[in-house]
Structure formats: C-alpha cells, structure tokens
Amino acid sequence: MTTMQVAVLRGIQELAIEERPVPEPGPGEVLVRITAVGVCGSDVHYYQHGRIGDFVVERPMVLGHESGGVIAGVGAGVDASRVGQRVSIEPGVPDLTCPECLAGRYNLCPDMRFFATPPYDGSLAEFVTVHAAFAHPVPDTISDDAAALLEPLSVGVWAARKARISAGSRVLITGAGPIGLVATQCARAFGATEIVVSDLNPHRLKLARDLGATATIDVGATPLADAGFEPDVLLECSGHPGATGDGIRALARAGRAVLVGMGDDLPLPLTHIQSREIELTGTFRYANTWPAAIALAESGRVDVDTLVTGHFALADSEAALLAPERDPLAVKSVIDPRR
C-alpha cells in the first residue's frame, strides 16, 4: 500500500477525507497502522472554532491524538521484531534535549510535536509514524478501543499524581465528561475513599456512580456551596469558570486544586485561596504515565471501554465529532480508519 486515507480539517466546520502517501518511518521511528482513534474535546473545538487559546489552525491539519494500532514497519535503529506488535501511541514527542526534558518534565518541552496540535498532523489516518519509544506495547487483554483511550486515561493518572491523591483522600471532581470519568476511576485506584462528581448531565452522573463515585451532585439542582462536601482535593475537569470557582471555594483548609479542563482566563477567589492556604496548579498533558495507564487498564482497575458510545468509519469522522452535540447520551466516539 502506497497511499492512505486521512481526515483533514481544511477550515472551521470543514472536514474532508483526502488521499495521501503512506509515510516512511525515519531513524528511530515506527510506522503504525491505526486501529482506533478516540475523539477528544480538543478535536471538536478545533473543528468548531479553528483554535484553542494560542493554538490556531492556520493550514489544513489532520485531527486525532487518542490512538492505538499495530506496528507495520520500522525505521533504522529499531528492532524489526516489533513489526506486528500492538501499541498505544503517546502522541507528543519532545525534543529530548531541553532543560524540561532533561528534568523529566517532557510534557513542558517548548518544542513538543504533539499530534493534532497546530501545525502538526494527528492520527485520523490509516497510518502514522512516531518515535519508537512513544509507541507503547499493550497486552492482548486490552481492546483496540482501550489502547487508544490510554491517552485520556493518562490525563487522569497525571491529575491524580499532581493532586497527590492517596489512601483516604476526599476528592471532588467537577465535570463528568470523559476526562472526569477517567479521573473518577483514577482517584479510586489511587486510594481515595470519598469521590464526589458534579455535573448537569444526569446520564453522565449515573455513569460516574457506576464507575466508582461515592456520590454525585447535579449542580443544576444543588449548587456546590449547598452540597455540604468539603474535599481535600479538587480535580476540575470541566474547564467552566463557574465550576472552577465553586470547586475551589468548596475545598478544605490546605486543600489542593488541580485544573485539568482547558478553560479561558477567569477571576479566582484569592482571599479564600490565601486564607485557607489552598494549593492551586494546572496540568498540561502528562509525562511518564503510560506504564501506569496500561497496568490500570489491564488489571481492570480502570474501565475505559465503558466510555465508548459510538463507533465510526473514517468517512464518518464528522458525525463522530458532532455526536456529543447531537446526543446527550454520547460520551466517547471512536473512529476506526480501517472501516
């Protein structure tokens, strides 16, 4: 096969299927035949608005960064026995030489080449190439969908680590989208004993309870301030300014707030943060999370397959992007470029 199909964002709300040459793996790289791509909120945002903050789509870009597949070829310096190996792709390849990389914080590398983040193409394609070290082998007990969804699971693992969740932690998770739902499971796996999830969507709140939340709050009916829960940890997964402020105000003294959802600038309750010595930090992707994510998925401690509510062919990528908007029961769409 010398050519392949890819899903290209040509402009705002303009997605097209194009034919491109199959890429050749360079030195230290592998060629992966993609078997599953999860649709992320960032893909939807680029499709709807053409930008996320400072990241602006200025030329056609292939979407998708939650992906897994099978190694179909290797470049120079890579063990040829890896051909045929099932892998999950860590979609951000850093330069590996900057101070952040050398300190182990490669997610903060200023020269990161991250799939489907302008100007770099993503994985909504039949084949992609990636640095061999970022194509993580997965066991056969993990489904193709789960191999792709180790990427959002890694966001949950990173958030739990940043929050220092441990045995006995009391955790509030604002937002029951896919990231909030994996964060719920990670909080439980990391030892939290009380996990309260807030959202407006009753279906997603039920799913949160099914996946390990000890309680949920429908903030359309009960504001967080009236819920009577004072957590040690806030994992803010919605990106909504109101949820962020309310979540911070709910924290106990010396609590920790970790901002996971991508949102715009917002006013912060600084008096509350200062008087209670609240720790506040953001997260940006992840670093060194795939081994833990694989172990959690393989052991069954985290179930990402349950999040999948629709499967789509590459030609139906636009429908996959619009699924959450059209169906309130939709949680996670997965695209199979082989279909």
Side-chain angles (χ1 to χ4, degrees):
M1 183 182 291
T2 59
T3 62
M4 65 175 183
Q5 302 280 300
V6 299
V8 181
L9 183 65
R10 292 178 174 172
I12 294 175
Q13 298 183 26
E14 184 183 356
L15 193 73
I17 304 300
E18 296 182 2
E19 189 169 290
R20 291 188 179 181
V22 173
E24 290 284 338
E29 292 186 332
V30 294
L31 174 69
V32 180
R33 181 173 187 180
I34 299 297
T35 56
V37 182
V39 173
C40 175
S42 66
D43 297 315
V44 177
H45 212 79
Y46 282 129
Y47 172 79
Q48 296 280 22
H49 306 288
R51 68 183 301 154
I52 298 176
D54 294 333
F55 297 107
V56 182
V57 180
E58 296 179 335
R59 63 175 179 81
M61 181 182 78
V62 178
L63 291 175
H65 65 267
E66 302 175 2
S67 49
V70 179
I71 293 180
V74 300
V78 180
D79 187 349
S81 69
R82 293 198 66 183
V83 172
Q85 189 177 65
R86 297 178 66 243
V87 295
S88 173
I89 295 175
E90 185 171 354
V93 179
D95 66 20
L96 303 175
T97 60
C98 72
E100 299 299 334
C101 287
L102 296 177
R105 299 184 295 264
Y106 64 81
N107 58 312
L108 301 180
C109 173
D111 293 318
M112 174 73 77
R113 291 162 289 150
F114 199 90
F115 280 26
T117 297
Y120 304 107
D121 283 334
S123 54
L124 266 181
E126 291 183 87
F127 294 90
V128 301
T129 56
V130 66
H131 190 297
F134 291 83
H136 299 273
V138 296
D140 288 337
T141 51
I142 290 179
S143 69
D144 288 343
D145 287 354
L149 299 185
L150 292 177
E151 195 278 341
L153 175 51
S154 280
V155 175
V157 170
W158 189 242
R161 287 179 177 172
K162 292 281 283 186
R164 305 194 303 280
I165 295 173
S166 61
S169 291
R170 305 171 73 237
V171 180
L172 171 64
I173 296 171
T174 48
I179 296 301
L181 294 171
V182 295
T184 298
Q185 297 184 76
C186 287
R188 182 183 62 178
F190 275 60
T193 51
E194 290 186 72
I195 305 166
V196 176
V197 179
S198 67
D199 202 284
L200 291 165
N201 185 315
H203 172 70
R204 292 192 176 189
L205 290 174
K206 180 184 182 302
L207 189 53
R209 292 192 296 273
D210 292 342
L211 293 173
T214 56
T216 57
I217 301 169
D218 181 344
V219 289
T222 304
L224 277 179
D226 298 335
F229 181 57
E230 192 176 63
D232 310 312
V233 169
L234 166 68
L235 300 182
E236 204 305 294
C237 297
S238 72
H240 189 279
T244 303
D246 290 346
I248 291 172
R249 291 184 186 92
L251 276 168
R253 288 170 173 78
R256 299 179 295 282
V258 178
L259 307 185
V260 185
M262 295 291 286
D264 294 323
D265 292 342
L266 73 157
L268 289 173
L270 291 180
T271 300
H272 184 86
I273 291 170
Q274 289 179 309
S275 64
R276 292 199 167 206
E277 292 198 349
I278 301 296
E279 294 181 39
L280 175 64
T281 187
T283 60
F284 190 61
R285 300 168 181 157
Y286 32 66
N288 303 303
T289 53
W290 251 256
I294 292 169
L296 288 171
E298 184 180 17
S299 68
R301 299 289 298 277
V302 172
D303 177 8
V304 288
D305 287 289
T306 296
L307 304 181
V308 179
T309 49
H311 289 91
F312 299 82
L314 189 67
D316 298 321
S317 293
E318 194 164 29
L321 289 165
L322 293 173
E325 179 181 300
R326 294 173 173 173
D327 181 3
L329 301 184
V331 177
K332 174 65 71 172
S333 299
V334 171
I335 298 167
D336 183 348
R338 300 169 300 177
R339 296 174 60 184

